[in-house]
Amino acid sequence: MADVSFQKVRKAFGSAVAVKSLDLAIGSGEFVSLLGPSGCGKTTTLRMLAGLEFPTEGEIRIGDRVVNAVPPGQRDIAMVFQSYAPYPHMSVAENIAYPLKKRGVGRAERDAKVASVAATLQLGALLDRKPRQLSGGQQQRVALGRALVRDPKVFLLDEPLSNLDAKLRAHMRAELIELHRKLGKTFIYVTHDQLEAMTMSDRIAVMHEGDLQQFGAPMQVYEKPANLFVAGFIGSPAMNLLPGALESSGSGLAFVRQGLWLPVGAGGQAGQKVTLGVRPEDIALGSGPFVATVRIVEPTGHETIVMADIGGQSAIVRVQPDAAHVVGSEIPFAVRTSRLHAFDSVSGARLDLAFALPAS
Amino acid sequence: MSGNPLDKRYAVLGAMLIAPTVLIFCAVIIYPLVSALYLSLFTIFTPTLRGNFIGLGNYAYLANSPEFWRSLWNTLLWTVCTLTLQIVFGVAAALMLHQNIVFRSLARSLILFPYFVSTVVAVLVWRWLFNDLYGVMNHLMLMAGLIKMPLDWLGSMPNAMISIILVGAWKYFPFVVIAVLARLQTIPDALYEAAKIDGAGAWSRFVDITLPQLRDVLVVVVLLRAIWDFKEFDLIYLLTGGGPIIATQTLPLMVYKDAFGLNDMGRASAVAVSMMLVMLSFMVLYLKLAGRGERESQR
């Protein structure tokens, strides 16, 4: 059963539309990331769910209750803010106890719950400190503690790791995954960092300009991007997008662009503008029917990134670190046809085309 | 500091640079202070500035003077009441102006108006409003049926004291508004949003978020306004002149009356010194209390 659902939710701030028409159903206990570049509507979506913004149209449900008109405090949700927002004049213990206090929980029960949450988050030694005496990572734990202590149905996290340094971020990522596993509650996580979304989520909702682009498991989003935006956004280095067209060739069709010619087995029609998507790891340099010119070689240690010119467009290729490529040289290459993506250049939608390598 | 010659030259340069400030400070602060202490030990005829040394005679006189104690009481009453009203209305107005109300920027400028108007002008206007024969206040209250006879706003007690307290609150509450509004704008929205999600209602958010955040600025505002209200002269002098008789006479008015009305500069200095001592003791107490609160909030 869906724990959280959006039905035709639209949010406009004056004439600016932040979320266009969102339909999203999130299952109980799922870890879902809302992923997209800034201004894509992901934070607005989360804030509508929290009750900090109200939808212009549509319905939001938590469980089987429509919460459009329910105040944030009564929605059975907890939220961790990007700035953590610990109450500066309260000690760590008071911060964590605050949501309980506001719900009229008695002192003894409050103390017991604070102690148990503090133990979970290893905050026990810091309970008497003020937030300003804590590091960023510790403040983050306080914010998490304030959410945990309530035992809510849904946890909302708004870019909670973006203010931490890289090492601590990796550590907190692992802790959040562990926490989600232990609690078994629904987590909704807003981020612009695809690495966080890919590593932590059960499912990722990719958003762009107020529209949901794709909603699926991380590998599904990676392997079968629904459109050009998702294809370009997910993956680092990004997928190479090479525009071309389908043309008749003998008995069938072929994808044609400068420097590339790939027979197409099924689907599509002649004259259609098609963009070919190739992940950097799906180009094999060294042998094959096509030729690329090496422009830049960037060794990173565990792999080497080569920027090569394919028919007038630069493409990124991921190669083994031991491969030696000389800048300016021309090398033959092949593509893994089973792992190619095709998109309609006009609508951006994914096309199911079967490619083959040209017979040599 | 090491014996480096460059360090010594910088030290000399530093002393030279602050010297003018120190000299001006001595001339305008230390000299009058010492001079007031010195004068308070004499009976001095103001026009000639000559007189006899009488030791603590002036202070002994004041200790037994009902007028002094009455003036001290008036000063405290006026300060506490007008300051309380300034804080309450100042914070309320700041909270209102912090909301997204229509004409917010216009309202923000208008509310500062009383603070910008010269005291003389403001008091003249209020004396017209309060006038017992043709003042608007009496007219409006008569029309509304609140009173049957015109009130004597400035010439009888307790009306005169209430009037100066109200005009003082009106004149100086914009200062509280400016200071509090500036602080309100720096409180992060996320704190209020977190509190909303934690289940705090509007009142809880005010008590648990806004007030603790305003604490520091209110300490400064109360301290400054208390000092300024305690030594307020022009507003009271122009409104009631301390009257009826000495019913609204505060210590600054008594200093003025003794020095230039009764021509006794010595006794006036003794009143001024006593005033300073009262203020000093309150300030020390207040700073101690505020400091304790601050340490507690930092612990």
Side-chain angles (χ1 to χ4, degrees), chain B residues 235-258:
Chain B
L235 189 143
I236 302 169
Y237 185 75
L238 292 166
L239 258 183
T240 66
I245 321 291
I246 58 162
T248 57
Q249 176 179 289
T250 55
L251 289 174
L253 269 72
M254 188 178 170
V255 173
Y256 178 79
K257 190 169 87 178
D258 281 354

Side-chain angles (χ1 to χ4, degrees), chain A residues 299-312:
Chain A
T300 66
H302 67 290
E303 64 181 16
T304 295
I305 304 295
V306 175
M307 280 175 80
D309 190 299
I310 299 177

Side-chain angles (χ1 to χ4, degrees), chain A residues 97 99-114 149:
Chain A
L100 298 178
K101 203 168 149 188
K102 288 296 129 190
R103 283 171 173 72
V105 175
R107 182 160 197 117
E109 193 186 341
R110 238 157 51 204
D111 289 348
K113 282 197 170 167
V114 169
V149 78

Side-chain angles (χ1 to χ4, degrees), chain A residues 47 50 52 72-73 77-79 81 83 85-89 98-99 102-103 128 130 132-133 146 150, chain B residues 188 190-201 204-205 207-209 212-213 294 296-299:
Chain A
R47 289 171 59 85
L52 300 172
I77 46 137
M79 183 157 166
F81 290 81
S83 62
Y87 305 124
H89 52 283
Y98 188 74
K102 288 296 129 190
R103 283 171 173 72
D128 290 331
K130 288 281 160 66
R132 80 183 117 192
Q133 297 164 305
R146 207 165 55 184
R150 296 237 323 262
Chain B
L191 286 184
Y192 291 105
E193 292 177 344
K196 270 187 201 168
I197 287 174
D198 285 346
S204 282
R205 292 200 295 276
V207 173
D208 295 333
I209 311 287
Q213 294 280 305
E294 178 64 16
E296 252 163 34
S297 73
Q298 267 173 358
R299 235 179 336 117

Side-chain angles (χ1 to χ4, degrees), chain A residues 33-36 40 42 191-194 197 204-207 233-234:
Chain A
S33 291
L34 304 180
L35 175 66
C40 72
K42 57 189 192 295
T191 183
H192 63 266
D193 182 337
Q194 51 168 304
I204 299 176
V206 184
M207 295 184 74
F233 190 74
I234 302 279

Side-chain angles (χ1 to χ4, degrees), chain A residues 18-20 35-42 205-214 227-230 233:
Chain A
V19 176
K20 280 176 189 158
L35 175 66
S38 53
C40 72
K42 57 189 192 295
V206 184
M207 295 184 74
H208 180 52
E209 291 181 341
D211 270 327
L212 180 64
Q213 305 289 320
Q214 188 170 4
N227 55 38
L228 267 176
F229 174 78
V230 179
F233 190 74

